[in-house]
């Protein structure tokens, strides 16, 4: 996806809004996957030094920032699909459709800024919270200190969830509106069908399946991320391992759906084989 979108933007003075969004989304997810691998490598092979303040704060802060960015870019992709494909006649929707190309760079820039702001509280408190919950408490005023530390953790989690709450709402609302518009148009085409196989009708049904799949993957990733953020499961437990596996699989599934639903992405492997002079059957 990144290669196909980047190749279409090389040498162009203005980037299409779809390519800008997909490049931002794929770049953030590739970086996130590499960062997760680095995190696991440090936990397995460098555990004694992993919880040194600087290392722990940097690893987890960048991890949160990349997750927030991925949530925002995925939400803007759903918004872009809704604006370009849905056929609503409201004046605000028409205004967005006419200006989406100019608004998209600012929307992506605002996403980076929102992700950075949402990560700042985590960078300030993550190590102190971890240290407070793992280090022994003094005997005097231990209950008061424990309550204060739990309050700090609750506030931190609230701020972290606020960073992904807005993109989740954007993604769900835009996807539901797009599905509604496609479904209404599909029913109208079915009523007017002559009995023969209609390529336009099949394209609409395929688009509905793609949007539903992207929405399900987005919500599933959000739920797994929230479970890990709240630290609801013990370390190395089966539910926590399932959440980690889900977070690793959902971006892959999201990319597969994008490739399957876009002819430009589907044709890239064949073009690569052609340029390398390998026969394609």
């Amino acid at each position: 996806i990144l290669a196909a979108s980047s190749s279409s933007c090389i040498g162009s003075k203005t980037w299409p809004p779809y390519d800008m969004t997909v490049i931002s989304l794929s770049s953030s997810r590739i970086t996130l996957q590499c960062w997760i691998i680095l995190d696991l490598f440090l936990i397995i092979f460098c555990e004694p030094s992993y919880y040194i303040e600087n290392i722990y704060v940097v690893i987890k802060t960048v991890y949160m920032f990349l997750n927030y960015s991925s949530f925002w870019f995925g939400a803007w992709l759903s918004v872009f699909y809704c604006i370009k494909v849905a056929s609503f006649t409201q004046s605000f929707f028409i205004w967005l459709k006419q200006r989406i190309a100019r608004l998209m760079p600012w929307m992506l820039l605002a996403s980076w800024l929102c992700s950075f702001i949402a990560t700042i509280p985590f960078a300030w408190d993550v190590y102190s919270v971890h240290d407070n919950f793992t280090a022994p408490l003094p005997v005097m005023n231990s209950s008061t200190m424990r309550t204060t530390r739990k309050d700090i953790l609750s506030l931190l989690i609230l701020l972290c969830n606020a960073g992904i709450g807005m993109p989740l709402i954007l993604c769900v609302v835009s996807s539901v509106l797009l599905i509604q518009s496609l479904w209404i148009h599909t029913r109208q085409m079915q009523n007017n069908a002559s009995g023969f196989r209609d390529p336009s009708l099949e394209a609409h049904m395929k688009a509905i399946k793609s949007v539903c799949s992207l929405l399900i993957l987005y919500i599933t990733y959000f739920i797994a991320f929230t479970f890990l953020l709240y630290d609801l499961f013990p370390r190395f437990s089966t539910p926590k391992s399932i959440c980690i596996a889900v977070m690793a699989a959902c971006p892959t599934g999201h990319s597969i759906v994008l490739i399957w639903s876009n002819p430009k992405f589907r044709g890239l492997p064949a073009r690569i084989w052609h340029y390398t002079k390998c026969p394609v059957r």
Side-chain angles (χ1 to χ4, degrees):
I1 294 176
L2 181 61
S5 300
S6 300
S7 61
S8 62
C9 295
I10 294 176
S12 177
K13 294 182 180 180
T14 58
W15 290 14
Y18 177 78
D19 289 331
M20 281 192 294
T21 308
V22 172
I23 288 173
S24 300
L25 177 61
S26 56
S27 300
S28 64
R29 286 184 170 171
I30 290 174
T31 308
L32 177 61
Q33 294 295 327
C34 295
W35 201 258
I36 291 174
I37 294 174
L38 176 62
D39 186 22
L40 294 176
F41 179 84
L42 292 176
I43 291 176
I44 295 173
F45 298 102
C46 307
E47 187 174 5
S49 59
Y50 179 76
Y51 291 108
I52 297 175
E53 181 172 355
N54 292 335
I55 296 179
Y56 187 76
V57 168
V58 170
I59 290 292
K60 295 306 177 183
T61 302
V62 174
Y63 171 78
M64 297 299 295
F65 174 77
L66 293 173
N67 267 296
Y68 289 155
S69 301
S70 179
F71 277 117
W72 275 107
F73 297 146
W76 289 133
L77 182 62
S78 299
V79 171
F80 178 81
Y81 280 145
C82 179
I83 293 175
K84 297 298 291 185
V85 178
S87 56
F88 296 109
T89 58
Q90 285 77 6
S91 57
F92 178 71
F93 188 84
I94 297 175
W95 182 86
L96 285 176
K97 187 184 288 285
Q98 294 173 347
R99 291 167 174 81
I100 186 64
R102 286 180 289 175
L103 292 175
M104 186 57 69
W106 296 104
M107 293 158 64
L108 297 175
L109 183 61
S111 301
W112 284 104
L113 182 60
C114 291
S115 301
F116 178 76
I117 294 174
T119 309
I120 290 176
F122 189 85
W124 281 343
D125 293 326
V126 62
Y127 179 74
S128 61
V129 170
H130 172 269
D131 182 67
N132 288 336
F133 274 95
T134 54
L137 291 172
V139 177
M140 298 181 61
N141 298 328
S142 59
S143 61
T144 304
M145 295 178 66
R146 179 68 70 182
T147 302
T148 303
R149 289 159 185 172
K150 287 184 178 180
D151 292 340
I152 294 174
L153 182 61
S154 300
L155 178 61
L156 175 63
I157 293 175
L158 178 62
L159 292 172
C160 291
N161 281 337
I164 56 177
M166 183 58 69
L168 176 67
I169 295 173
L170 286 173
C171 180
V172 173
V173 172
S174 59
S175 298
V176 170
L177 290 176
L178 178 56
I179 292 171
Q180 179 186 3
S181 177
L182 289 172
W183 181 252
I184 293 174
H185 198 198
T186 301
R187 293 297 299 270
Q188 293 175 352
M189 295 175 65
Q190 288 177 340
N191 294 332
N192 298 328
S194 59
F196 296 97
R197 194 171 182 179
D198 190 353
S200 299
L201 182 61
E202 293 181 358
H204 276 68
M205 295 302 298
K206 183 178 179 180
I208 292 175
K209 294 177 183 178
S210 299
V211 175
C212 290
S213 301
L214 293 175
L215 180 60
I216 291 172
L217 289 170
Y218 191 97
I219 295 176
T220 303
Y221 187 90
F222 176 85
I223 294 173
F225 177 75
T226 304
F227 283 163
L228 293 180
L229 184 63
Y230 275 97
D231 202 14
L232 298 178
F233 306 116
R235 189 181 182 188
F236 300 123
S237 63
T238 301
K240 189 166 187 175
S241 301
I242 292 175
C243 289
I244 295 174
V246 168
M247 288 189 64
C250 282
T252 304
H254 195 277
S255 301
I256 292 174
V257 173
L258 288 178
I259 294 173
W260 174 72
S261 59
N262 193 316
K264 180 176 68 173
F265 297 150
R266 291 201 306 266
L268 182 62
R271 292 201 302 269
I272 293 175
W273 280 107
H274 174 74
Y275 288 136
T276 55
K277 298 182 180 180
C278 293
V280 179
R281 295 183 180 179

